[in-house]
Amino acid sequence: MPYKVTYFNVTALAEPIRFLLSYLNEDFEDNRFERELWPTLKPNMPFGKVPIVEIDGKVLNQSTAITRYLAKKAGLAGKDDWESLLIDISVDNIHDLRQALASYSYDPDEESKQKKYDPLIKETIPFYMKKFESIVTENNGYFVNGKLSWADLFFVSIMDYLNYMAGFDLLKEYPKLQALKASVVAIPQIKAWIAKRPNTI
Amino acid sequence: MPYKVTYFNVTALAEPIRFLLSYLNEDFEDNRFERELWPTLKPNMPFGKVPIVEIDGKVLNQSTAITRYLAKKAGLAGKDDWESLLIDISVDNIHDLRQALASYSYDPDEESKQKKYDPLIKETIPFYMKKFESIVTENNGYFVNGKLSWADLFFVSIMDYLNYMAGFDLLKEYPKLQALKASVVAIPQIKAWIAKRPNTI
């Protein structure tokens, strides 16, 4: 197997990579470790973080860069530099929502965390979700360029993680985004991956 | 002028774009606004953030996606998908350091902010800077692929901003990174840009 994905036993930041490898019909080693092993593993990671992916023995970090690379192989990265630009913008807009959720969810200071809750739930989440719903409505049911791209796979692959951090189903008021999710999880390779993957957040 | 860059009157996240446009010898409108105007401007931004860039009248956000697009035009994005991947990884590693600095620098909760100071100064900054110094040493004086790429321009373009957030010169103990900075700011188009740009953080 030329690909080995190493991460915690969750979807989160490794799932875009797992989605793309599945989409490509690549047989990959899905190497998951339990949280208590992390302090032992961390010093061996290229930048002290996971996921990492080994491609032909070369160890790589940075999940979004790796996902983009796989998306090019899959023909999901745009037909030219302009389309690729618009896809990259969509992905980074989704990352901004993810980071707002993570900034709340991982805040170790309880008082600071509580201060973030109301703006997150009442402002940030509705702001992004309404924008995304409107963008997908205008783009033929996809995030960008009127067709399937890795921005769609990226979004759907991290939804469980985003919902976990938010504490509720972010898609519940957004029918176009629900339809996008349904169409992505119906792609045969993605459907097969979801059926066989471990049942985790 | 086909390019218009809109941002606060600082280097920070717009400077990679300004560096790439300068490198490309593109004449661009450097549209800066003062901080007190931001509440009025924010609702008109595609995702409530800046920088934005207008290219032939189309309004785009997400500075890194835009910088990557310009880097492709400049021949600074790698000779193939593998080189592009390694460049994207380098850029995102630099972003991780930037975000650690920003998480401290922009923390509105004074107590939470103070708790971040020691780990940032004693652990995170030395960790990243030593890694970067070692990577540049192994890559012929550049971040990746043994030659100039947009990862180098990106790093040098945001150094003033990183130093401002850290409160000291991050490069002071790292001669190879200092040499990289010296070589990037000596590129004639970059040198000319730095000479004519507003003198700000």
Side-chain angles (χ1 to χ4, degrees), chain A residues 46-47 61-62 65 68 82 85 88-89 92-93 96 99 109 115 131, chain B residues 46-47 61-62 65 68-69 82 85 88-89 92-93 96 99 109 115 131:
Chain A
F47 272 84
N61 72 324
Q62 292 299 354
R68 181 181 299 109
W82 183 257
L85 165 63
D88 285 352
I89 290 171
D92 284 350
N93 285 333
D96 282 352
Q99 284 177 334
D109 184 301
K115 276 187 220 162
K131 288 266 185 194
Chain B
F47 272 84
N61 72 324
Q62 292 300 352
R68 180 181 299 107
Y69 171 78
W82 183 258
L85 165 63
D88 285 351
I89 290 171
D92 285 350
N93 285 333
D96 282 352
Q99 284 176 335
D109 185 303
K115 276 188 219 159
K131 287 267 186 195

PDB file of all heavy atoms in Angstrom, chain A residues 46-47 61-62 65 68 82 85 88-89 92-93 96 99 109 115 131, chain B residues 46-47 61-62 65 68-69 82 85 88-89 92-93 96 99 109 115 131:
ATOM      1  N   PRO A  46       6.587  15.206  11.999  1.00  0.00           N
ATOM      2  CA  PRO A  46       7.433  16.234  11.374  1.00  0.00           C
ATOM      3  C   PRO A  46       7.279  17.613  12.043  1.00  0.00           C
ATOM      4  O   PRO A  46       8.263  18.310  12.238  1.00  0.00           O
ATOM      5  CB  PRO A  46       6.934  16.295   9.929  1.00  0.00           C
ATOM      6  CG  PRO A  46       6.223  15.019   9.679  1.00  0.00           C
ATOM      7  CD  PRO A  46       5.754  14.498  11.007  1.00  0.00           C
ATOM      8  N   PHE A  47       6.075  18.003  12.393  1.00  0.00           N
ATOM      9  CA  PHE A  47       5.864  19.282  13.079  1.00  0.00           C
ATOM     10  C   PHE A  47       5.041  19.098  14.359  1.00  0.00           C
ATOM     11  O   PHE A  47       4.305  19.989  14.768  1.00  0.00           O
ATOM     12  CB  PHE A  47       5.225  20.313  12.138  1.00  0.00           C
ATOM     13  CG  PHE A  47       6.237  21.086  11.356  1.00  0.00           C
ATOM     14  CD1 PHE A  47       6.764  20.575  10.182  1.00  0.00           C
ATOM     15  CD2 PHE A  47       6.712  22.306  11.813  1.00  0.00           C
ATOM     16  CE1 PHE A  47       7.729  21.278   9.462  1.00  0.00           C
ATOM     17  CE2 PHE A  47       7.670  23.012  11.110  1.00  0.00           C
ATOM     18  CZ  PHE A  47       8.179  22.508   9.931  1.00  0.00           C
ATOM     19  N   ASN A  61       3.162  16.126   6.411  1.00  0.00           N
ATOM     20  CA  ASN A  61       2.111  16.669   7.269  1.00  0.00           C
ATOM     21  C   ASN A  61       1.298  17.687   6.459  1.00  0.00           C
ATOM     22  O   ASN A  61       1.493  17.844   5.270  1.00  0.00           O
ATOM     23  CB  ASN A  61       2.716  17.287   8.540  1.00  0.00           C
ATOM     24  CG  ASN A  61       3.457  18.586   8.282  1.00  0.00           C
ATOM     25  OD1 ASN A  61       4.107  18.739   7.248  1.00  0.00           O
ATOM     26  ND2 ASN A  61       3.367  19.512   9.201  1.00  0.00           N
ATOM     27  N   GLN A  62       0.379  18.346   7.109  1.00  0.00           N
ATOM     28  CA  GLN A  62      -0.509  19.372   6.535  1.00  0.00           C
ATOM     29  C   GLN A  62      -1.612  18.748   5.671  1.00  0.00           C
ATOM     30  O   GLN A  62      -1.497  18.583   4.441  1.00  0.00           O
ATOM     31  CB  GLN A  62       0.262  20.436   5.747  1.00  0.00           C
ATOM     32  CG  GLN A  62       1.146  21.319   6.631  1.00  0.00           C
ATOM     33  CD  GLN A  62       0.377  22.123   7.683  1.00  0.00           C
ATOM     34  OE1 GLN A  62      -0.861  22.135   7.708  1.00  0.00           O
ATOM     35  NE2 GLN A  62       1.102  22.764   8.580  1.00  0.00           N
ATOM     36  N   ALA A  65      -2.976  20.558   2.306  1.00  0.00           N
ATOM     37  CA  ALA A  65      -2.044  20.456   1.177  1.00  0.00           C
ATOM     38  C   ALA A  65      -2.097  19.052   0.570  1.00  0.00           C
ATOM     39  O   ALA A  65      -2.111  18.894  -0.663  1.00  0.00           O
ATOM     40  CB  ALA A  65      -0.621  20.781   1.649  1.00  0.00           C
ATOM     41  N   ARG A  68      -5.389  18.563  -1.328  1.00  0.00           N
ATOM     42  CA  ARG A  68      -5.321  19.245  -2.639  1.00  0.00           C
ATOM     43  C   ARG A  68      -4.529  18.412  -3.650  1.00  0.00           C
ATOM     44  O   ARG A  68      -4.938  18.283  -4.813  1.00  0.00           O
ATOM     45  CB  ARG A  68      -4.690  20.635  -2.473  1.00  0.00           C
ATOM     46  CG  ARG A  68      -4.595  21.438  -3.780  1.00  0.00           C
ATOM     47  CD  ARG A  68      -3.927  22.812  -3.583  1.00  0.00           C
ATOM     48  NE  ARG A  68      -4.666  23.636  -2.655  1.00  0.00           N
ATOM     49  CZ  ARG A  68      -4.251  23.942  -1.425  1.00  0.00           C
ATOM     50  NH1 ARG A  68      -3.076  23.516  -0.992  1.00  0.00           N
ATOM     51  NH2 ARG A  68      -4.996  24.683  -0.643  1.00  0.00           N
ATOM     52  N   TRP A  82      -7.753  29.299 -12.619  1.00  0.00           N
ATOM     53  CA  TRP A  82      -8.833  30.120 -12.075  1.00  0.00           C
ATOM     54  C   TRP A  82      -9.824  29.255 -11.284  1.00  0.00           C
ATOM     55  O   TRP A  82     -10.205  29.606 -10.157  1.00  0.00           O
ATOM     56  CB  TRP A  82      -9.535  30.890 -13.200  1.00  0.00           C
ATOM     57  CG  TRP A  82     -10.607  31.813 -12.689  1.00  0.00           C
ATOM     58  CD1 TRP A  82     -11.957  31.601 -12.721  1.00  0.00           C
ATOM     59  CD2 TRP A  82     -10.421  33.079 -12.048  1.00  0.00           C
ATOM     60  NE1 TRP A  82     -12.620  32.654 -12.143  1.00  0.00           N
ATOM     61  CE2 TRP A  82     -11.706  33.585 -11.726  1.00  0.00           C
ATOM     62  CE3 TRP A  82      -9.289  33.858 -11.710  1.00  0.00           C
ATOM     63  CZ2 TRP A  82     -11.902  34.814 -11.083  1.00  0.00           C
ATOM     64  CZ3 TRP A  82      -9.482  35.077 -11.071  1.00  0.00           C
ATOM     65  CH2 TRP A  82     -10.774  35.541 -10.773  1.00  0.00           C
ATOM     66  N   LEU A  85      -8.223  28.252  -8.082  1.00  0.00           N
ATOM     67  CA  LEU A  85      -8.251  29.377  -7.140  1.00  0.00           C
ATOM     68  C   LEU A  85      -9.590  29.437  -6.408  1.00  0.00           C
ATOM     69  O   LEU A  85      -9.643  29.548  -5.179  1.00  0.00           O
ATOM     70  CB  LEU A  85      -8.001  30.690  -7.902  1.00  0.00           C
ATOM     71  CG  LEU A  85      -8.340  32.003  -7.182  1.00  0.00           C
ATOM     72  CD1 LEU A  85      -7.480  32.189  -5.933  1.00  0.00           C
ATOM     73  CD2 LEU A  85      -8.175  33.198  -8.122  1.00  0.00           C
ATOM     74  N   ASP A  88      -9.848  26.653  -3.923  1.00  0.00           N
ATOM     75  CA  ASP A  88      -9.006  26.918  -2.738  1.00  0.00           C
ATOM     76  C   ASP A  88      -9.669  27.943  -1.821  1.00  0.00           C
ATOM     77  O   ASP A  88      -9.606  27.824  -0.594  1.00  0.00           O
ATOM     78  CB  ASP A  88      -7.625  27.432  -3.170  1.00  0.00           C
ATOM     79  CG  ASP A  88      -6.730  26.328  -3.735  1.00  0.00           C
ATOM     80  OD1 ASP A  88      -7.105  25.145  -3.658  1.00  0.00           O
ATOM     81  OD2 ASP A  88      -5.639  26.667  -4.244  1.00  0.00           O
ATOM     82  N   ILE A  89     -10.290  28.951  -2.417  1.00  0.00           N
ATOM     83  CA  ILE A  89     -10.998  29.970  -1.612  1.00  0.00           C
ATOM     84  C   ILE A  89     -12.135  29.318  -0.824  1.00  0.00           C
ATOM     85  O   ILE A  89     -12.294  29.567   0.378  1.00  0.00           O
ATOM     86  CB  ILE A  89     -11.522  31.113  -2.515  1.00  0.00           C
ATOM     87  CG1 ILE A  89     -10.358  31.954  -3.052  1.00  0.00           C
ATOM     88  CG2 ILE A  89     -12.526  31.997  -1.753  1.00  0.00           C
ATOM     89  CD1 ILE A  89     -10.744  32.969  -4.129  1.00  0.00           C
ATOM     90  N   ASP A  92     -10.794  27.327   2.085  1.00  0.00           N
ATOM     91  CA  ASP A  92     -10.300  28.162   3.187  1.00  0.00           C
ATOM     92  C   ASP A  92     -11.448  28.882   3.899  1.00  0.00           C
ATOM     93  O   ASP A  92     -11.350  29.147   5.105  1.00  0.00           O
ATOM     94  CB  ASP A  92      -9.227  29.132   2.689  1.00  0.00           C
ATOM     95  CG  ASP A  92      -7.888  28.407   2.463  1.00  0.00           C
ATOM     96  OD1 ASP A  92      -7.763  27.233   2.866  1.00  0.00           O
ATOM     97  OD2 ASP A  92      -6.969  29.016   1.892  1.00  0.00           O
ATOM     98  N   ASN A  93     -12.533  29.173   3.201  1.00  0.00           N
ATOM     99  CA  ASN A  93     -13.714  29.722   3.887  1.00  0.00           C
ATOM    100  C   ASN A  93     -14.294  28.685   4.858  1.00  0.00           C
ATOM    101  O   ASN A  93     -14.702  29.035   5.973  1.00  0.00           O
ATOM    102  CB  ASN A  93     -14.779  30.154   2.878  1.00  0.00           C
ATOM    103  CG  ASN A  93     -14.408  31.448   2.168  1.00  0.00           C
ATOM    104  OD1 ASN A  93     -13.674  32.284   2.713  1.00  0.00           O
ATOM    105  ND2 ASN A  93     -14.906  31.633   0.948  1.00  0.00           N
ATOM    106  N   ASP A  96     -12.197  28.567   7.868  1.00  0.00           N
ATOM    107  CA  ASP A  96     -12.434  29.674   8.809  1.00  0.00           C
ATOM    108  C   ASP A  96     -13.567  29.340   9.777  1.00  0.00           C
ATOM    109  O   ASP A  96     -13.484  29.660  10.964  1.00  0.00           O
ATOM    110  CB  ASP A  96     -12.750  30.975   8.049  1.00  0.00           C
ATOM    111  CG  ASP A  96     -11.494  31.636   7.488  1.00  0.00           C
ATOM    112  OD1 ASP A  96     -10.374  31.190   7.807  1.00  0.00           O
ATOM    113  OD2 ASP A  96     -11.637  32.614   6.720  1.00  0.00           O
ATOM    114  N   GLN A  99     -12.154  26.809  12.194  1.00  0.00           N
ATOM    115  CA  GLN A  99     -11.270  27.399  13.198  1.00  0.00           C
ATOM    116  C   GLN A  99     -12.033  28.177  14.261  1.00  0.00           C
ATOM    117  O   GLN A  99     -11.633  28.195  15.426  1.00  0.00           O
ATOM    118  CB  GLN A  99     -10.198  28.251  12.516  1.00  0.00           C
ATOM    119  CG  GLN A  99      -9.132  27.333  11.894  1.00  0.00           C
ATOM    120  CD  GLN A  99      -8.068  28.055  11.134  1.00  0.00           C
ATOM    121  OE1 GLN A  99      -8.288  29.156  10.628  1.00  0.00           O
ATOM    122  NE2 GLN A  99      -6.906  27.431  10.999  1.00  0.00           N
ATOM    123  N   ASP A 109      -9.241  27.613  28.733  1.00  0.00           N
ATOM    124  CA  ASP A 109      -9.629  28.555  29.792  1.00  0.00           C
ATOM    125  C   ASP A 109     -11.158  28.649  29.809  1.00  0.00           C
ATOM    126  O   ASP A 109     -11.772  29.175  28.878  1.00  0.00           O
ATOM    127  CB  ASP A 109      -8.975  29.911  29.495  1.00  0.00           C
ATOM    128  CG  ASP A 109      -9.230  30.938  30.589  1.00  0.00           C
ATOM    129  OD1 ASP A 109     -10.421  31.236  30.868  1.00  0.00           O
ATOM    130  OD2 ASP A 109      -8.256  31.445  31.151  1.00  0.00           O
ATOM    131  N   LYS A 115     -17.195  32.895  27.095  1.00  0.00           N
ATOM    132  CA  LYS A 115     -17.394  34.187  26.406  1.00  0.00           C
ATOM    133  C   LYS A 115     -17.545  33.999  24.899  1.00  0.00           C
ATOM    134  O   LYS A 115     -18.147  34.817  24.214  1.00  0.00           O
ATOM    135  CB  LYS A 115     -16.198  35.113  26.662  1.00  0.00           C
ATOM    136  CG  LYS A 115     -16.280  35.873  27.960  1.00  0.00           C
ATOM    137  CD  LYS A 115     -15.130  36.893  28.011  1.00  0.00           C
ATOM    138  CE  LYS A 115     -14.541  36.958  29.404  1.00  0.00           C
ATOM    139  NZ  LYS A 115     -13.214  37.573  29.443  1.00  0.00           N
ATOM    140  N   LYS A 131     -24.187  31.851   4.249  1.00  0.00           N
ATOM    141  CA  LYS A 131     -23.342  32.105   3.069  1.00  0.00           C
ATOM    142  C   LYS A 131     -23.161  30.827   2.249  1.00  0.00           C
ATOM    143  O   LYS A 131     -23.305  30.833   1.023  1.00  0.00           O
ATOM    144  CB  LYS A 131     -21.946  32.577   3.507  1.00  0.00           C
ATOM    145  CG  LYS A 131     -21.898  33.966   4.061  1.00  0.00           C
ATOM    146  CD  LYS A 131     -21.541  34.958   2.970  1.00  0.00           C
ATOM    147  CE  LYS A 131     -21.388  36.337   3.572  1.00  0.00           C
ATOM    148  NZ  LYS A 131     -21.376  37.386   2.549  1.00  0.00           N
TER     149      LYS A 131
ATOM    150  N   PRO B  46     -16.800  39.849   1.152  1.00  0.00           N
ATOM    151  CA  PRO B  46     -17.455  38.567   0.824  1.00  0.00           C
ATOM    152  C   PRO B  46     -17.674  37.675   2.056  1.00  0.00           C
ATOM    153  O   PRO B  46     -18.727  37.059   2.179  1.00  0.00           O
ATOM    154  CB  PRO B  46     -16.483  37.895  -0.154  1.00  0.00           C
ATOM    155  CG  PRO B  46     -15.630  38.975  -0.708  1.00  0.00           C
ATOM    156  CD  PRO B  46     -15.610  40.083   0.296  1.00  0.00           C
ATOM    157  N   PHE B  47     -16.712  37.609   2.945  1.00  0.00           N
ATOM    158  CA  PHE B  47     -16.859  36.814   4.172  1.00  0.00           C
ATOM    159  C   PHE B  47     -16.527  37.644   5.408  1.00  0.00           C
ATOM    160  O   PHE B  47     -16.067  37.112   6.415  1.00  0.00           O
ATOM    161  CB  PHE B  47     -16.023  35.534   4.108  1.00  0.00           C
ATOM    162  CG  PHE B  47     -16.765  34.390   3.477  1.00  0.00           C
ATOM    163  CD1 PHE B  47     -16.801  34.267   2.092  1.00  0.00           C
ATOM    164  CD2 PHE B  47     -17.482  33.473   4.242  1.00  0.00           C
ATOM    165  CE1 PHE B  47     -17.512  33.225   1.494  1.00  0.00           C
ATOM    166  CE2 PHE B  47     -18.189  32.445   3.656  1.00  0.00           C
ATOM    167  CZ  PHE B  47     -18.216  32.318   2.278  1.00  0.00           C
ATOM    168  N   ASN B  61     -11.717  36.747  -1.769  1.00  0.00           N
ATOM    169  CA  ASN B  61     -11.087  36.761  -0.439  1.00  0.00           C
ATOM    170  C   ASN B  61     -10.136  35.565  -0.349  1.00  0.00           C
ATOM    171  O   ASN B  61      -9.901  34.889  -1.340  1.00  0.00           O
ATOM    172  CB  ASN B  61     -12.157  36.750   0.668  1.00  0.00           C
ATOM    173  CG  ASN B  61     -12.866  35.418   0.803  1.00  0.00           C
ATOM    174  OD1 ASN B  61     -13.110  34.736  -0.191  1.00  0.00           O
ATOM    175  ND2 ASN B  61     -13.204  35.031   2.017  1.00  0.00           N
ATOM    176  N   GLN B  62      -9.570  35.370   0.826  1.00  0.00           N
ATOM    177  CA  GLN B  62      -8.624  34.278   1.139  1.00  0.00           C
ATOM    178  C   GLN B  62      -7.241  34.522   0.537  1.00  0.00           C
ATOM    179  O   GLN B  62      -6.913  34.098  -0.581  1.00  0.00           O
ATOM    180  CB  GLN B  62      -9.168  32.895   0.718  1.00  0.00           C
ATOM    181  CG  GLN B  62     -10.366  32.436   1.535  1.00  0.00           C
ATOM    182  CD  GLN B  62     -10.099  32.294   3.037  1.00  0.00           C
ATOM    183  OE1 GLN B  62      -8.960  32.405   3.485  1.00  0.00           O
ATOM    184  NE2 GLN B  62     -11.142  32.077   3.816  1.00  0.00           N
ATOM    185  N   ALA B  65      -4.964  31.498  -0.883  1.00  0.00           N
ATOM    186  CA  ALA B  65      -5.425  30.982  -2.178  1.00  0.00           C
ATOM    187  C   ALA B  65      -5.031  31.940  -3.304  1.00  0.00           C
ATOM    188  O   ALA B  65      -4.564  31.508  -4.369  1.00  0.00           O
ATOM    189  CB  ALA B  65      -6.937  30.791  -2.141  1.00  0.00           C
ATOM    190  N   ARG B  68      -1.257  31.796  -3.909  1.00  0.00           N
ATOM    191  CA  ARG B  68      -0.909  30.570  -4.669  1.00  0.00           C
ATOM    192  C   ARG B  68      -1.215  30.759  -6.164  1.00  0.00           C
ATOM    193  O   ARG B  68      -0.408  30.383  -7.025  1.00  0.00           O
ATOM    194  CB  ARG B  68      -1.686  29.374  -4.115  1.00  0.00           C
ATOM    195  CG  ARG B  68      -1.384  28.046  -4.836  1.00  0.00           C
ATOM    196  CD  ARG B  68      -2.192  26.874  -4.286  1.00  0.00           C
ATOM    197  NE  ARG B  68      -1.919  26.625  -2.885  1.00  0.00           N
ATOM    198  CZ  ARG B  68      -2.748  26.914  -1.876  1.00  0.00           C
ATOM    199  NH1 ARG B  68      -3.955  27.434  -2.123  1.00  0.00           N
ATOM    200  NH2 ARG B  68      -2.400  26.676  -0.633  1.00  0.00           N
ATOM    201  N   TYR B  69      -2.352  31.347  -6.457  1.00  0.00           N
ATOM    202  CA  TYR B  69      -2.747  31.604  -7.849  1.00  0.00           C
ATOM    203  C   TYR B  69      -1.720  32.504  -8.547  1.00  0.00           C
ATOM    204  O   TYR B  69      -1.295  32.224  -9.679  1.00  0.00           O
ATOM    205  CB  TYR B  69      -4.143  32.237  -7.843  1.00  0.00           C
ATOM    206  CG  TYR B  69      -4.618  32.760  -9.161  1.00  0.00           C
ATOM    207  CD1 TYR B  69      -5.096  31.899 -10.145  1.00  0.00           C
ATOM    208  CD2 TYR B  69      -4.624  34.136  -9.430  1.00  0.00           C
ATOM    209  CE1 TYR B  69      -5.562  32.385 -11.361  1.00  0.00           C
ATOM    210  CE2 TYR B  69      -5.085  34.633 -10.641  1.00  0.00           C
ATOM    211  CZ  TYR B  69      -5.552  33.750 -11.604  1.00  0.00           C
ATOM    212  OH  TYR B  69      -6.010  34.237 -12.803  1.00  0.00           O
ATOM    213  N   TRP B  82       3.981  17.287  -7.259  1.00  0.00           N
ATOM    214  CA  TRP B  82       4.722  16.920  -6.048  1.00  0.00           C
ATOM    215  C   TRP B  82       5.433  18.132  -5.455  1.00  0.00           C
ATOM    216  O   TRP B  82       5.350  18.393  -4.250  1.00  0.00           O
ATOM    217  CB  TRP B  82       5.702  15.784  -6.349  1.00  0.00           C
ATOM    218  CG  TRP B  82       6.435  15.311  -5.136  1.00  0.00           C
ATOM    219  CD1 TRP B  82       7.723  15.611  -4.774  1.00  0.00           C
ATOM    220  CD2 TRP B  82       5.911  14.465  -4.094  1.00  0.00           C
ATOM    221  NE1 TRP B  82       8.035  15.010  -3.589  1.00  0.00           N
ATOM    222  CE2 TRP B  82       6.953  14.295  -3.139  1.00  0.00           C
ATOM    223  CE3 TRP B  82       4.681  13.846  -3.879  1.00  0.00           C
ATOM    224  CZ2 TRP B  82       6.788  13.527  -1.990  1.00  0.00           C
ATOM    225  CZ3 TRP B  82       4.522  13.069  -2.723  1.00  0.00           C
ATOM    226  CH2 TRP B  82       5.560  12.928  -1.796  1.00  0.00           C
ATOM    227  N   LEU B  85       2.906  20.370  -3.890  1.00  0.00           N
ATOM    228  CA  LEU B  85       2.499  19.821  -2.594  1.00  0.00           C
ATOM    229  C   LEU B  85       3.484  20.231  -1.502  1.00  0.00           C
ATOM    230  O   LEU B  85       3.095  20.705  -0.430  1.00  0.00           O
ATOM    231  CB  LEU B  85       2.418  18.291  -2.694  1.00  0.00           C
ATOM    232  CG  LEU B  85       2.368  17.502  -1.380  1.00  0.00           C
ATOM    233  CD1 LEU B  85       1.105  17.838  -0.587  1.00  0.00           C
ATOM    234  CD2 LEU B  85       2.425  15.993  -1.646  1.00  0.00           C
ATOM    235  N   ASP B  88       3.103  23.856  -0.685  1.00  0.00           N
ATOM    236  CA  ASP B  88       1.875  24.091   0.098  1.00  0.00           C
ATOM    237  C   ASP B  88       2.074  23.674   1.557  1.00  0.00           C
ATOM    238  O   ASP B  88       1.588  24.345   2.480  1.00  0.00           O
ATOM    239  CB  ASP B  88       0.696  23.315  -0.501  1.00  0.00           C
ATOM    240  CG  ASP B  88       0.166  23.940  -1.782  1.00  0.00           C
ATOM    241  OD1 ASP B  88       0.595  25.063  -2.134  1.00  0.00           O
ATOM    242  OD2 ASP B  88      -0.692  23.310  -2.440  1.00  0.00           O
ATOM    243  N   ILE B  89       2.767  22.560   1.771  1.00  0.00           N
ATOM    244  CA  ILE B  89       3.047  22.101   3.143  1.00  0.00           C
ATOM    245  C   ILE B  89       3.888  23.144   3.888  1.00  0.00           C
ATOM    246  O   ILE B  89       3.582  23.509   5.029  1.00  0.00           O
ATOM    247  CB  ILE B  89       3.758  20.731   3.125  1.00  0.00           C
ATOM    248  CG1 ILE B  89       2.790  19.630   2.666  1.00  0.00           C
ATOM    249  CG2 ILE B  89       4.353  20.399   4.494  1.00  0.00           C
ATOM    250  CD1 ILE B  89       3.436  18.271   2.400  1.00  0.00           C
ATOM    251  N   ASP B  92       1.801  26.133   4.846  1.00  0.00           N
ATOM    252  CA  ASP B  92       0.880  25.863   5.959  1.00  0.00           C
ATOM    253  C   ASP B  92       1.624  25.660   7.277  1.00  0.00           C
ATOM    254  O   ASP B  92       1.079  25.978   8.340  1.00  0.00           O
ATOM    255  CB  ASP B  92      -0.040  24.681   5.623  1.00  0.00           C
ATOM    256  CG  ASP B  92      -1.135  25.089   4.625  1.00  0.00           C
ATOM    257  OD1 ASP B  92      -1.288  26.302   4.363  1.00  0.00           O
ATOM    258  OD2 ASP B  92      -1.834  24.189   4.113  1.00  0.00           O
ATOM    259  N   ASN B  93       2.864  25.179   7.226  1.00  0.00           N
ATOM    260  CA  ASN B  93       3.661  25.122   8.456  1.00  0.00           C
ATOM    261  C   ASN B  93       3.951  26.536   8.971  1.00  0.00           C
ATOM    262  O   ASN B  93       3.893  26.789  10.177  1.00  0.00           O
ATOM    263  CB  ASN B  93       4.971  24.369   8.217  1.00  0.00           C
ATOM    264  CG  ASN B  93       4.766  22.864   8.116  1.00  0.00           C
ATOM    265  OD1 ASN B  93       3.818  22.314   8.679  1.00  0.00           O
ATOM    266  ND2 ASN B  93       5.644  22.187   7.389  1.00  0.00           N
ATOM    267  N   ASP B  96       0.948  27.846  10.620  1.00  0.00           N
ATOM    268  CA  ASP B  96       0.736  27.316  11.980  1.00  0.00           C
ATOM    269  C   ASP B  96       1.475  28.168  13.014  1.00  0.00           C
ATOM    270  O   ASP B  96       0.938  28.429  14.100  1.00  0.00           O
ATOM    271  CB  ASP B  96       1.180  25.851  12.076  1.00  0.00           C
ATOM    272  CG  ASP B  96       0.146  24.894  11.480  1.00  0.00           C
ATOM    273  OD1 ASP B  96      -0.968  25.338  11.138  1.00  0.00           O
ATOM    274  OD2 ASP B  96       0.462  23.691  11.365  1.00  0.00           O
ATOM    275  N   GLN B  99      -0.453  31.390  13.308  1.00  0.00           N
ATOM    276  CA  GLN B  99      -1.683  31.260  14.078  1.00  0.00           C
ATOM    277  C   GLN B  99      -1.411  31.124  15.575  1.00  0.00           C
ATOM    278  O   GLN B  99      -2.196  31.620  16.392  1.00  0.00           O
ATOM    279  CB  GLN B  99      -2.519  30.091  13.545  1.00  0.00           C
ATOM    280  CG  GLN B  99      -3.196  30.521  12.238  1.00  0.00           C
ATOM    281  CD  GLN B  99      -3.980  29.430  11.565  1.00  0.00           C
ATOM    282  OE1 GLN B  99      -3.708  28.244  11.743  1.00  0.00           O
ATOM    283  NE2 GLN B  99      -4.964  29.820  10.757  1.00  0.00           N
ATOM    284  N   ASP B 109      -9.089  38.066  26.071  1.00  0.00           N
ATOM    285  CA  ASP B 109      -9.176  37.761  27.506  1.00  0.00           C
ATOM    286  C   ASP B 109      -7.768  37.838  28.100  1.00  0.00           C
ATOM    287  O   ASP B 109      -6.910  36.999  27.796  1.00  0.00           O
ATOM    288  CB  ASP B 109      -9.795  36.364  27.676  1.00  0.00           C
ATOM    289  CG  ASP B 109     -10.033  36.000  29.132  1.00  0.00           C
ATOM    290  OD1 ASP B 109      -9.057  36.011  29.929  1.00  0.00           O
ATOM    291  OD2 ASP B 109     -11.192  35.707  29.475  1.00  0.00           O
ATOM    292  N   LYS B 115      -1.581  33.372  29.988  1.00  0.00           N
ATOM    293  CA  LYS B 115      -1.261  31.941  30.108  1.00  0.00           C
ATOM    294  C   LYS B 115      -0.571  31.406  28.858  1.00  0.00           C
ATOM    295  O   LYS B 115       0.142  30.409  28.895  1.00  0.00           O
ATOM    296  CB  LYS B 115      -2.549  31.131  30.314  1.00  0.00           C
ATOM    297  CG  LYS B 115      -3.009  31.064  31.761  1.00  0.00           C
ATOM    298  CD  LYS B 115      -4.173  30.074  31.869  1.00  0.00           C
ATOM    299  CE  LYS B 115      -5.232  30.570  32.825  1.00  0.00           C
ATOM    300  NZ  LYS B 115      -6.548  29.961  32.616  1.00  0.00           N
ATOM    301  N   LYS B 131      13.087  24.355  13.418  1.00  0.00           N
ATOM    302  CA  LYS B 131      12.698  23.499  12.278  1.00  0.00           C
ATOM    303  C   LYS B 131      12.940  24.237  10.964  1.00  0.00           C
ATOM    304  O   LYS B 131      13.497  23.678  10.020  1.00  0.00           O
ATOM    305  CB  LYS B 131      11.204  23.166  12.367  1.00  0.00           C
ATOM    306  CG  LYS B 131      10.834  22.188  13.450  1.00  0.00           C
ATOM    307  CD  LYS B 131      10.815  20.767  12.893  1.00  0.00           C
ATOM    308  CE  LYS B 131      10.310  19.803  13.947  1.00  0.00           C
ATOM    309  NZ  LYS B 131      10.589  18.423  13.595  1.00  0.00           N
TER     310      LYS B 131
END
